[in-house]
Amino acid sequence: MPKGSNQKFKLYRLAQIMQEQTDDEHYITMPEIMDGLAKYDVTADRKSVYNDLRDLSVLGIDVEGEPVGNRYHYHVVNRAFELPELKLLVDAIQSSKFITEKKSNALIKKLETLVSKYDAQKLQRQVFVSGRIKTMNESIYYTVDAIHKAISENKKIKFQYYQWNVKKEMELRHNGAWYHISPWGLSWDDENYYLVGYDSDAEQIKHYRVDKMLHIKLSNESRDGKEHFKKLDMADYAKKSFGMFGGKEQTVKLLVKNSLAGVIIDRFGKNVMLIPTDDEHFTVNVDVHVSRQFLGWVFSLGEDIKIVGPDEVVDEMKKEINRIINQYKYDS
């Protein structure tokens, strides 16, 4: 029997049809497969299509056929991603402030191609991106890629850094001066993406919001600060920093009501020791970078938590409380 037309596209189109039109709940028959190929101007005899369905496994596409009545129904099994996994990725993309709305929708659209058109509709119903607070820096993908490249090549990076002014305009910080930083890692904290790097001039570790970095480029200079990061656990470092704000690292003793045990574990992990003091309270020692953001976190939990040591941190909290009181005093 002579070969059909457009044979060089047959396997590709067959894979496309099977992946788009079938899943664990949706099947396709051989006549429907033949009709699908015909829509792409691909003709073939049934025997060759049977062989091609088996050959798809070489491409990582497993197809099963099940007898239903006097016909076989075919569908793709064992996809690279299960639907619940893709929904999880969609939710992560949606909730990421550092990914723009445009990029979020583009990424989700690409994820939809990994499932059938039926499951793609289920992913679409998960999408509620419009109206969310998102970064407006479209270059963030390329910024992150440049940071990873600099880390792998052991190079410093140069970039400009901006902030928003009261006119809602992007305003370069330090009059547009270039920051020259040794990148050592990226951290996702409080819905934002941060570069963690070493500032050689200040001789200290600093953090920078990735979505506020502009015109990034690699330097010819090798990175500094290796001794500071050699023993640094990035996850542990992020846990100690509230909102990625720096501060003196100290062990702080907290007196906490039992009802907040979950809050403490969620923030500092299950390895912290909760030491009972009475039937209603426990103490816990936590390593943190003491900053106004940390004090604000303690303050937000109200009367159920109290800093009890060291004295200098207790004094810092008292000063912060007095500052707030003075800020909200009524004029006499």
Side-chain angles (χ1 to χ4, degrees), residues 115-177:
V115 292
S116 69
K117 61 182 181 182
Y118 309 103
D119 282 346
Q121 292 173 354
K122 296 174 184 176
L123 285 180
Q124 289 166 6
R125 287 200 293 270
Q126 296 282 317
V127 180
F128 302 101
V129 173
S130 297
R132 293 208 176 188
I133 299 173
K134 290 279 200 176
T135 180
M136 285 169 272
N137 186 355
E138 285 286 348
S139 65
I140 188 167
Y141 280 133
Y142 312 105
T143 300
V144 170
D145 186 58
I147 291 170
H148 281 299
K149 183 178 181 181
I151 291 172
S152 67
E153 296 183 8
N154 196 38
K155 297 294 185 183
K156 291 183 180 180
I157 56 172
K158 291 182 178 181
F159 58 90
Q160 291 176 299
Y161 205 53
Y162 79 86
Q163 62 189 4
W164 295 104
N165 63 23
V166 294
K167 297 178 181 179
K168 302 180 183 178
E169 299 169 332
M170 289 171 58
E171 185 177 81
L172 291 176
R173 299 188 65 175
H174 297 165
N175 296 317

Side-chain angles (χ1 to χ4, degrees), residues 31 86 99 138 152 170 209 215 229 244 252 284 303 328:
L86 290 175
I99 305 177
E138 285 286 348
S152 67
M170 289 171 58
R209 279 264 300 270
H215 311 128
F229 287 88
M244 292 305 290
V252 177
V284 60
E303 61 186 13
Y328 287 93

